[in-house]
Amino acid sequence: MPDNTLMAADAASSSVCREFTVLELRRTGPESGSPAHSPVGPDQSHWLLDLDLPAGFPGDAGWTPGQFVMLRPVSWSLELLWARPFSICMLENGILRLFFQVVGRGTRAMSALRPGDRVVAWGPLGQGFALEPETPTLLLAGGIGLAPFIGYARRHPQPETLRLFFGHRPEVAEYPLDLLPQEMPIEASRQTCAEELACFVDDLERRIKEYAARQGLILACGPHPFLRAVQGLAMKHRARTQLSLENRMACGVGACLGCVTETTNQTLPVKVCTQGPVFWAEDVHLGGEA
Amino acid sequence: MNLAVEMAGLRLKNPVLTASGTFGYGVEFAAYGDLTALGGIVVKGLSWEPRKGNPMPRVAETPCGMLNAIGLQNIGVHRFVEEKLPLLPWAEVPVIANLYACDVTDFARLGEYLAEQEGVAALEVNISCPNVQAGGILFGQDPEQAARVTRAVKDRAGTKPVIVKLSPNVTDITTVAKAAADGGADILALINTLSGMAVDVRSRRPRLANVIGGLSGPAIKPVGLRCVYQVSRAVDLPIIGLGGIASAEDVLEYILVGAWAVQIGTANFLRPDMAFRIAADLPGLLDELGVTSWGEFRGALRA
Ligand SMILES: Cc1cc2nc3c(=O)[nH]c(=O)nc-3n(C[C@H](O)[C@H](O)[C@H](O)COP(=O)(O)OP(=O)(O)OC[C@H]3O[C@@H](n4cnc5c(N)ncnc54)[C@H](O)[C@@H]3O)c2cc1C
Ligand SMILES: Cc1cc2nc3c(=O)[nH]c(=O)nc-3n(C[C@H](O)[C@H](O)[C@H](O)COP(=O)(O)O)c2cc1C
Ligand code: FES
């Protein structure tokens, strides 16, 4: 990561800020399942949000999978101040689709959006994933970390070179796996207890080792502990691996310095929103924030 | 109405500036609006050497506001002048450098170096660093120290206006304001963030690694208005008001209590075109209110 590319990432931005109209908001997963009885928390609901692309927002060709948008519904009061970052799940045929999970106040308020509601969003932001059409590529998704890989796999010129290994805690039916290309093999693995998690990490290691031996490319997105596990294994087996970080963001445009992370080759912390969110595993220190 | 404001030789085409630390080095916002439509751009606080800032997490959202403990991460004044300043349209919009140092000598050399740069229209002195020599008390909390720092920068600033940015974390802000005026300040800017904290009852941890941070955003607007009101009556210097401004109406509230111009800070995070929108909304609102000149409206609060 030489300095000049970092600067280019800061200055050369084709992103814009626009008001979008909500076309559809759809809950995924079994309607009947009461979220209150989920083994993993009070509300784990997952949603697909379709937004009508306004004039001037980059379309199908104007983004790279792994990039994200900042989104703030117009109706939000000043109580919820910041916009929230979401990976671009799909950007096709004039529709921007996001896939999100309710984890807090903002995402809960988003789950109450209705068709016709207006949201402000800016993007596409950040640096997306590497794309090497000929290289065997392993996608490692943890939970909601699936979102950017839907776009990645759909945009990939040779999805048959891809394989998705997907770890999740909520039921697999919560995730819109039907949006993924048919040609891509998918392995989903649910973890509801510590033993299952240990098995999952063993499985992860086996696959990372295999792709390292094949000179493959590994891309990972998911919660912090998951990324830390992937990073450790990738370093151990010298696997070419990229990680997409989910640091807390206030501005998304590189202005506030609230989202930074330490790297191995820069003296100052780097901004995850503009210089990431995707980093090579050996370049980045996954510090404190869980 | 003519929106232009002139104060201490600083010419602004309108009174809407951006606040230091919330608008990066300006270039980050070029995609979201016409930088030259702003009254001015105040860039991220600059120190002599680059600074790494504080550990993460260093921002937290709070009701109608946010806390930050960025710790003045910045690329240092030399890289700013070489890499960022040339990218800014400084010939058309005043670029104001915000300076940060922890001793008087450092403040002086920063001021001197920045004042020599053609693209820098004015210096804004951030006096919220603890002065180690004075036992850790903030420069901005001790009138005598505030006057010393102001004098040190003013003496080296040549013809460039010196703006002193005041902290609200004091018992009587007018005392520090008067001290800065005595030190030779041309303009006062207020307010900087309010000291605050946020905690997470589940993890039993503070939400910031630094525990304490600076509160900003709409939550602090009443404090900012009060400070501008008090200082405008106590000190005969132009004032730039800030704190929680998120609309053209908020801008006029500040001008009504005595500000000459304002800065948009945290509201830039609500949407990156916020400052541009506020500047664009201003003429319509003035029309609606029947305001025909700043001179008539400024400080015209019926109290
Ligand atoms: C680049 C990037 C891309 C992202 N893409 C997606 C996406 O496609 N879909 C999606 O659902 N989310 C995504 N996220 C995460 C999303 O931004 C957060 O879930 C959201 O900001 C939470 O807002 P909130 O107001 O609901 O939570 P808050 O009220 O801010 O926080 C509530 C609770 O949720 C926890 N929390 C906050 N963020 C996360 C998180 N990332 N993961 C788990 N818990 C969290 C907090 O620690 C807190 O305990 C992405 C984040 C980044 C940085
Ligand atoms: C993330 C962040 C970084 C800041 N950095 C600086 C800084 O470098 N120098 C400074 O004088 N003020 C800094 N401030 C303070 C703002 O310039 C402003 O005084 C304060 O946020 C109040 O205005 P607001 O409520 O409109 O944000 C910072 C504020 C925030 C939120
Ligand atoms: S979110 Fe503001 S700098 Fe990255």
Side-chain angles (χ1 to χ4, degrees):
Chain A
M1 223 173 15
D3 240 319
N4 53 356
T5 56
L6 291 178
M7 277 179 60
D10 271 355
S13 159
S14 61
S15 49
V16 295
C17 178
R18 289 287 185 275
E19 281 188 27
F20 292 68
T21 307
V22 173
L23 292 173
E24 197 190 342
L25 178 68
R26 179 162 69 81
R27 183 159 177 198
T28 58
E31 282 305 298
S32 53
S34 161
H37 295 128
S38 147
V40 280
D43 188 349
Q44 293 283 330
S45 62
H46 288 72
W47 304 77
L48 281 169
L49 173 63
D50 283 359
L51 301 167
D52 192 17
L53 218 58
F57 197 86
D60 307 17
W63 69 291
T64 313
Q67 286 190 300
F68 65 99
V69 295
M70 295 292 288
L71 178 141
R72 189 174 186 278
V74 166
S75 59
W76 279 8
S77 67
L78 295 172
E79 166 85 18
L80 284 175
L81 210 60
W82 295 341
R84 300 294 195 264
F86 296 95
S87 302
I88 298 175
C89 174
M90 282 163 54
L91 181 47
E92 292 175 9
N93 307 321
I95 295 174
L96 169 61
R97 176 172 285 179
L98 306 177
F99 175 51
F100 72 92
Q101 180 186 8
V102 171
V103 299
R105 298 184 310 155
T107 45
R108 179 162 293 116
M110 277 170 60
S111 70
L113 286 168
R114 297 275 168 271
D117 284 352
R118 309 278 289 164
V119 304
V120 175
W122 57 99
L125 301 166
Q127 314 296 312
F129 289 112
L131 178 89
E132 300 175 4
E134 308 297 330
T135 310
T137 303
L138 177 65
L139 310 180
L140 299 175
I144 196 70
L146 178 69
F149 291 135
I150 294 175
Y152 188 87
R154 291 175 74 93
R155 285 276 296 267
H156 201 281
Q158 296 183 52
E160 63 281 2
T161 62
L162 301 174
R163 173 181 289 269
L164 171 69
F165 185 48
F166 176 45
H168 58 98
R169 284 194 295 175
E171 286 179 52
V172 73
E174 292 283 336
Y175 300 93
L177 297 179
D178 55 312
L179 296 176
L180 291 162
Q182 303 263 305
E183 302 90 320
M184 180 177 74
I186 301 172
E187 293 165 274
S189 155
R190 190 174 186 196
Q191 298 90 49
T192 53
C193 61
E195 293 79 54
E196 286 173 346
L197 191 62
C199 279
F200 175 67
V201 175
D202 287 345
D203 283 350
L204 261 182
E205 174 152 22
R206 195 150 6 91
R207 282 168 182 79
I208 289 173
K209 206 169 152 186
E210 178 200 332
Y211 273 74
R214 293 168 67 190
Q215 311 295 319
L217 177 65
I218 300 174
L219 309 176
C221 182
H224 208 82
F226 170 78
L227 291 182
R228 256 207 292 249
V230 171
Q231 185 186 39
L233 297 171
M235 306 289 265
K236 179 170 162 195
H237 298 291
R238 298 175 185 276
R240 289 173 59 236
T241 303
Q242 290 192 321
L243 310 173
S244 180
L245 272 51
E246 285 203 353
N247 287 14
R248 187 67 43 89
M249 293 180 180
C251 73
V253 302
C256 70
L257 300 172
C259 67
V260 299
T261 191
E262 299 266 0
T263 62
T264 46
N265 48 12
Q266 299 285 317
T267 46
L268 296 184
V270 304
K271 293 172 269 189
V272 171
C273 61
T274 52
Q275 292 156 301
V278 176
F279 294 94
W280 288 101
E282 64 272 23
D283 285 348
V284 67
H285 289 298
L286 294 182
E289 201 180 23
Chain B
M1 166 185 155
N2 176 12
L3 293 187
V5 179
E6 186 168 345
M7 48 182 179
L10 189 62
R11 277 192 205 91
L12 313 174
K13 63 173 74 81
N14 65 59
V16 180
L17 296 88
T18 57
S20 178
T22 67
F23 209 66
Y25 298 109
V27 282
E28 293 85 347
F29 289 80
Y32 302 101
D34 175 6
L35 293 175
T36 68
L38 297 171
I41 298 169
V42 187
V43 298
K44 175 70 195 164
L46 296 164
S47 49
W48 189 256
E49 299 289 344
R51 282 176 63 108
K52 289 184 72 151
N54 288 328
M56 291 283 286
R58 35 160 100 166
V59 285
E61 203 183 39
T62 59
C64 298
M66 66 177 277
L67 285 165
N68 90 80
I70 305 298
L72 270 298
Q73 178 181 336
N74 76 98
I75 56 175
V77 71
H78 296 97
R79 271 188 69 192
F80 166 73
V81 166
E82 280 152 33
E83 296 170 17
K84 305 291 181 184
L85 193 55
L87 302 177
L88 290 172
W90 51 262
E92 290 143 87
V93 55
V95 172
I96 297 169
N98 179 282
L99 300 44
Y100 181 82
C102 291
D103 67 63
V104 177
T105 327
D106 250 14
F107 263 121
R109 68 170 169 171
L110 258 177
E112 179 169 18
Y113 177 75
L114 282 163
E116 282 166 2
Q117 310 303 323
E118 193 187 2
V120 173
L123 307 177
E124 183 179 79
V125 186
N126 177 1
I127 50 175
S128 21
C129 186
N131 180 354
V132 182
Q133 278 132 31
I137 186 165
L138 302 185
F139 281 109
Q141 288 175 338
D142 176 353
E144 226 168 273
Q145 302 286 330
R148 270 183 64 212
V149 169
T150 307
R151 173 60 58 206
V153 176
K154 179 66 188 168
D155 282 348
R156 312 279 196 99
T159 56
K160 304 262 165 100
V162 172
I163 305 165
V164 177
K165 183 164 173 183
L166 305 181
S167 164
N169 301 319
V170 290
T171 316
D172 179 7
I173 194 165
T174 63
T175 315
V176 190
K178 283 179 192 152
D182 291 343
D186 299 297
I187 298 169
L188 301 174
L190 46 141
I191 54 176
N192 212 317
T193 54
L194 286 157
S195 183
M197 69 185 282
V199 298
D200 182 338
V201 74
R202 289 182 210 288
S203 65
R204 303 188 183 188
R205 288 174 169 280
R207 289 192 191 271
L208 298 178
N210 200 49
V211 185
I212 287 173
L215 180 65
S216 64
I220 72 166
K221 195 181 73 174
V223 181
L225 284 169
R226 183 266 294 171
C227 290
V228 171
Y229 177 70
Q230 289 180 324
V231 171
S232 70
R233 302 175 139 229
V235 180
D236 194 19
L237 281 182
I239 293 171
I240 301 175
L242 74 154
I245 297 175
S247 69
E249 218 161 285
D250 294 341
V251 172
L252 293 190
E253 290 179 17
Y254 268 92
I255 295 181
L256 204 50
V257 300
W260 291 55
V262 298
Q263 294 176 6
I264 314 297
T266 300
N268 291 310
F269 307 155
L270 273 73
R271 47 188 300 169
D273 54 1
M274 186 62 107
F276 308 102
R277 291 168 66 90
I278 291 176
D281 285 350
L282 211 47
L285 181 59
L286 287 165
D287 244 13
E288 182 193 320
L289 299 177
V291 180
T292 54
S293 81
W294 289 130
E296 160 223 337
F297 189 74
R298 184 185 307 124
L301 186 76
R302 299 187 186 124

